[in-house]
Amino acid sequence: MVGNPASTAAAGEASAAEGSDWDYAPAPESRDIVTIRPENGLFIDGEFVPPATGDSFATLNPASEEKLADVAAGGAADVDRAVTAARHAFDQTWGQLPGRERAKYLYRIARAIQERAREFAVLESLDNGKPVKESRDVDVPLAAAHFFYHAGWADKLGYAGFGPQPRPLGVAGQVIPWNFPLLMAAWKLAPALATGNTCVLKPAETTPLTALLLAEVIQEAGLPPGTVNVITGDGRTGADIVGHPGINKIAFTGSTEVGKQIQRAIAGTGKKLTLELGGKAANVVFDDAAIDQAVEGIVNGIFFNQGHVCCAGSRLLLAEPIADTVLDRLKQRLSTLRLGDPLDKNTDIGAINSRQQLDKIEGLVAAGEAEGAQRWSPPCQLPAKGYWFPPTVFSGVSQSHRIAREEIFGPVLSVLTFRTPEEAVAKANNTPYGLSAGVWTEKGSRILWMAGRLRAGVVWANTYNRFDPASPFGGYQESGFGREGGRAGLAAYLGA
Ligand code: NDP
């Protein structure tokens, strides 16, 4: 593993092992493209306004612990103003527009995201800690793609199989997490707007900045005031949105625990609900798989975005005959990854998003060691400041271990083995979650056999972590319910 940007002893070992003595030069993306306001208000009724509470909180760069900005802490009165503005827009402006008019605005937002892609990518990496090559190549293009895709649906809803004139639900309250801040905002806003709803969105406390930049884009795109409102704040602000009587639908992505609280809070209110919660996905590698390809898929499955991914392939199930070979190659591959400055274009592993999340990862890793699993990480020097955790592999994991059962949400892989396809299915399904799974084999028949038996909303075959706005995403059991993306995702914002 190579520390980045400063070369380290570990870097020397890695390059010596490869028989070469060169190293990557630093390739930092400039942060000059981003202008961060020191103080940020709430976006209500088309304007940036101070919060009624007068309170604010700081958002940090997790790679350096440097304060990036102060952000308004919205309270119940602010949520009420936002819901009133959204209701007015639903009744008087946005909700009255024909689909072809709504589509124009969505296309405008999509194009503005593309035009300002570098700015969004740098800001996302600063606020979240993810490598800029991921925010640049995954988060931002997919966010634009979601607006483009849903713009295409806006004037065709009558042909989507929901009846000739499907109706929007009204005001949608949308609460999103910190792992893909801009992308999750796009996943929530694009289908809601395409179907004619208006929105009150709350980004996560640790990553509010790209949602505020998106609000600026929405303002410039000229959407009627109140169509989209962005209320920054913590969990209490989220609870205020969930509990507001003027909201017709709640869409939530985050932890299973908060998802359950939300479900309890709105029981009996008639509000519609979609929940996209945690996961503990199995990535299953059979003995006929293309091993180098599978190793890339394993790395992408769990180390992409520091493992802060609800559908991460956090449990690796290896067929016994190939287990040692795959583990050896995986360790070699992990030794070449570069951890460090998220703004460096060569960085593979960025910072952990918050002190709180780092504590959670460290706690579960300590539990893995205490329960007897074998821990391995490549030689790696972590930066002195900021929140960091090295890529970590646990072998000798049994199904009862906490690291095999609980969502770690970090760069930590638990490796188990199996002897038969039936055993692979039984182990993969032995989880309270059911969001995603991966299968690696050269036999199409085996892929179909597995896909029919795995209790997971998404099953990837010979690939992992592929996303497309046309493809529905969502889970079973404690991973939540409802789908986002595709035709199924539209249904979540339409009534009879
Ligand atoms: P949370 O579920 O607490 O946060 C998700 C969003 O909900 C945030 O905007 C949060 O605000 C808000 N929120 C918190 N409490 C409430 C509430 N009572 N009512 C309404 N909204 C609320 O996740 P955490 O950020 O605390 O992460 C904890 C764990 O959850 C992680 O370790 C991981 O395992 C899992 N997780 C799963 C995600 C997924 O994509 N499935 C995403 C994020 C986390 P605030 O940011 O201020 O807390």
Side-chain angles (χ1 to χ4, degrees):
M1 163 131 271
V2 183
N4 179 20
S7 65
T8 62
E13 282 168 33
S15 46
E18 288 154 20
S20 75
D21 55 3
W22 58 269
D23 195 5
Y24 287 89
E29 180 69 67
S30 166
R31 58 186 281 180
D32 293 350
I33 190 153
V34 167
T35 308
I36 302 178
R37 286 189 198 88
E39 288 172 12
N40 294 271
L42 307 168
F43 185 64
I44 300 178
D45 210 11
E47 303 288 341
F48 286 93
V49 294
T53 57
D55 294 339
S56 64
F57 60 94
T59 183
L60 307 182
N61 176 347
S64 63
E65 298 170 59
E66 157 210 7
K67 176 172 151 180
L68 293 171
D70 282 314
V71 178
D78 301 300
V79 169
D80 191 51
R81 269 165 79 200
V83 174
T84 304
R87 174 64 55 193
H88 184 263
F90 181 72
D91 289 339
Q92 304 295 329
T93 55
W94 186 258
Q96 300 299 317
L97 290 179
R100 63 177 183 280
E101 291 299 320
R102 295 198 302 273
K104 284 186 201 168
Y105 289 102
L106 294 184
Y107 281 122
R108 221 177 270 170
I109 296 169
R111 283 195 298 268
I113 293 173
Q114 287 183 321
E115 280 158 18
R116 299 175 73 168
R118 229 177 106 214
E119 192 181 346
F120 271 110
V122 171
L123 188 60
E124 194 75 303
S125 286
L126 282 171
D127 205 17
N128 171 280
K130 63 175 70 197
V132 74
K133 75 174 172 193
E134 291 180 3
S135 43
R136 181 196 63 194
D137 297 348
V138 181
D139 299 55
V140 177
L142 270 177
H146 270 269
F147 281 101
F148 276 121
Y149 174 79
H150 287 96
W153 267 121
D155 62 348
K156 302 174 193 70
L157 297 173
Y159 310 97
F162 305 116
Q165 278 190 318
R167 287 206 299 271
L169 299 173
V171 178
Q174 306 177 314
V175 180
I176 56 172
W178 43 263
N179 52 343
F180 292 94
L182 175 69
L183 184 57
M184 287 303 107
W187 275 32
K188 296 284 180 277
L189 295 176
L193 296 176
T195 45
N197 299 275
T198 57
C199 304
V200 178
L201 175 85
K202 190 197 91 65
E205 189 182 349
T206 58
T207 55
L209 296 183
T210 48
L212 292 172
L213 184 58
L214 183 62
E216 200 179 298
V217 161
I218 285 169
Q219 190 183 41
E220 284 166 11
L223 272 76
T227 304
V228 174
N229 305 272
V230 178
I231 306 292
T232 46
D234 61 16
R236 289 167 296 182
T237 316
D240 287 338
I241 294 176
V242 168
H244 196 288
I247 285 197
N248 303 99
K249 189 230 157 75
I250 297 292
F252 172 78
T253 298
S255 62
T256 295
E257 190 191 329
V258 173
K260 286 179 182 174
Q261 284 174 27
I262 291 176
Q263 202 172 5
R264 278 194 293 270
I266 69 165
T269 63
K271 288 176 192 168
K272 289 221 175 185
L273 178 64
T274 42
L275 294 176
E276 203 268 90
L277 309 176
K280 192 74 190 173
N283 204 359
V284 185
V285 185
F286 284 94
D287 53 5
D288 61 349
I291 289 187
D292 287 336
Q293 195 185 332
V295 166
E296 288 307 307
I298 296 163
V299 171
N300 178 32
I302 183 65
F303 300 113
F304 168 64
N305 202 31
Q306 295 70 247
H308 300 328
V309 184
C310 47
C311 51
S314 52
R315 287 183 299 148
L316 176 62
L317 302 191
L318 295 176
E320 255 186 31
I322 56 158
D324 289 344
T325 310
V326 174
L327 260 182
D328 285 349
R329 291 209 205 161
L330 180 62
K331 289 177 178 177
Q332 278 170 27
R333 180 69 181 94
L334 293 181
S335 301
T336 68
L337 294 183
R338 295 169 57 82
L339 176 148
D341 180 7
L343 285 193
D344 192 303
K345 285 172 273 202
N346 292 320
T347 292
D348 299 301
I349 310 259
I352 301 301
N353 180 249
S354 64
R355 173 83 253 168
Q356 190 190 12
Q357 189 60 26
L358 182 58
D359 290 345
K360 178 179 172 187
I361 296 168
E362 285 172 345
L364 278 162
V365 164
E369 282 189 293
E371 287 182 319
Q374 288 88 56
R375 173 181 177 176
W376 179 90
S377 288
C380 178
Q381 202 173 57
L382 302 179
K385 287 207 88 177
Y387 314 127
W388 303 93
F389 201 84
T392 298
V393 177
F394 274 107
S395 50
V397 177
S398 79
Q399 295 187 78
S400 60
H401 288 163
R402 284 183 67 198
I403 53 170
R405 308 199 64 76
E406 295 180 30
E407 184 177 47
I408 301 174
F409 225 63
V412 182
L413 179 66
S414 301
V415 184
L416 299 94
T417 57
F418 65 90
R419 291 183 183 168
T420 64
E422 288 79 7
E423 187 186 348
V425 169
K427 285 186 167 168
N429 286 341
N430 184 10
T431 170
Y433 295 108
L435 192 54
S436 59
V439 180
W440 298 83
T441 170
E442 67 162 19
K443 290 187 190 63
S445 58
R446 184 174 276 168
I447 290 170
L448 294 174
W449 188 90
M450 290 289 290
R453 286 163 179 76
L454 291 170
R455 285 202 309 270
V458 178
V459 179
W460 284 291
N462 293 326
T463 187
Y464 207 92
N465 272 343
R466 294 276 161 196
F467 303 98
D468 189 294
S471 176
F473 184 88
Y476 293 102
Q477 307 189 103
E478 299 220 342
S479 293
F481 49 79
R483 295 292 177 265
E484 294 185 294
R487 190 186 152 276
L490 298 173
Y493 286 97
L494 290 169

